[in-house]
Amino acid sequence: MHKSDLRRCVLEALDALGGSGTVVEVCREVWDRHEHELRQSGDLFFTWQYDIRWAAQQLRDEGSLQPSGRGRQSRWTMAPGRVQ
């Protein structure tokens, strides 16, 4: 797994969560689905929870995620039309 894969992982996780989730819920879903890949990813294993926040910001910038608040309880939500 590479840092660039985290955008796909965020969308996958949000899809599994019904289109919206807290940072913790999204990270838990990514871990449940990709633990083995993350463990084998070298340095990314130590930074993925930081890097996933940048991936979410990139998704917001391109319009795939709605803007969100800050903090642990803020929700990441797929943009209308992205929810599966």
Side-chain angles (χ1 to χ4, degrees):
M1 177 171 289
H2 299 282
K3 188 175 178 177
S4 61
D5 296 320
L6 293 175
R7 292 169 43 150
R8 174 185 47 83
C9 293
V10 168
L11 293 174
E12 242 177 40
L14 287 171
D15 187 46
L17 293 166
S20 179
T22 66
V23 174
V24 172
E25 291 168 337
V26 171
C27 288
R28 184 179 297 123
E29 188 69 31
V30 169
W31 181 255
D32 288 348
R33 291 170 174 268
H34 300 286
E35 175 184 356
H36 178 73
E37 295 165 80
L38 288 165
R39 286 187 182 276
Q40 301 301 314
S41 67
D43 288 345
L44 182 63
F45 177 71
F46 300 101
T47 64
W48 77 271
Q49 288 189 17
Y50 173 81
D51 294 331
I52 204 165
R53 288 163 172 79
W54 281 108
Q57 184 59 53
Q58 290 173 331
L59 290 166
R60 275 187 220 92
D61 291 346
E62 72 180 32
S64 295
L65 292 186
Q66 293 182 357
S68 70
R70 296 192 181 257
R72 189 172 168 202
Q73 291 305 312
S74 67
R75 297 193 70 77
W76 291 1
T77 304
M78 293 174 107
R82 289 290 314 202
V83 179
Q84 311 257 336

